[in-house]
Amino acid sequence: MCGPPGSGKTALLADWAWRAGRPVAWLSLDAGDNDPARFWRHAVAAVDRVRPGIAERAGPLPGPPAPPSFEGLVTALINELAAQPGEGELLLVLDGYHLIDAQQVRAQGRRRAYPH
């Protein structure tokens, strides 16, 4: 969703997420989240708030020094979510994604999850 600052994007998205009736992992991004390790630590932590324990099961979170690729972490996170079929879907909201211009973050963000 795109629009100028103050146009109500976040409020509209929050209302939509609430009405969807699914658990919502909400991550408010800022320019510092262009660091891939920080981005994925925060994304996994957001998911862990609605699926407690998933961060631990997905494996160690990236930290200094950052790994050359986050493919393993993203794959582990998707696999852990897929392994919980009775839990239903969750929504991951990346509020402020327009602030992310790091290619490594954007490339992983475009990765498709498992088909349903």
Side-chain angles (χ1 to χ4, degrees):
M1 171 182 334
C2 297
S7 63
K9 299 179 300 293
T10 298
L12 181 63
L13 192 54
D15 184 61
W16 171 79
W18 178 78
R19 290 174 190 268
R22 296 185 184 110
V24 178
W26 193 286
L27 179 56
S28 295
L29 300 168
D30 61 40
D33 292 310
N34 276 293
D35 170 38
R38 177 179 160 165
F39 176 88
W40 286 111
R41 274 194 312 273
H42 290 175
V44 171
V47 172
D48 193 67
R49 283 192 291 278
V50 295
R51 293 283 190 270
I54 203 163
E56 187 176 310
R57 291 189 306 275
L61 296 178
S69 170
F70 293 87
E71 185 75 20
L73 174 66
V74 174
T75 299
L77 181 61
I78 290 170
N79 288 341
E80 283 299 322
L81 289 168
Q84 300 177 358
E87 295 291 321
E89 295 178 346
L90 68 84
L91 302 173
L92 175 60
V93 175
L94 302 174
D95 189 18
Y97 192 71
H98 66 282
L99 298 170
I100 304 301
D101 55 16
Q103 194 56 34
Q104 191 175 14
V105 173
R106 286 188 164 269
Q108 289 298 318
R110 285 191 299 266
R111 184 175 189 268
R112 292 199 185 268
Y114 55 93
H116 275 299

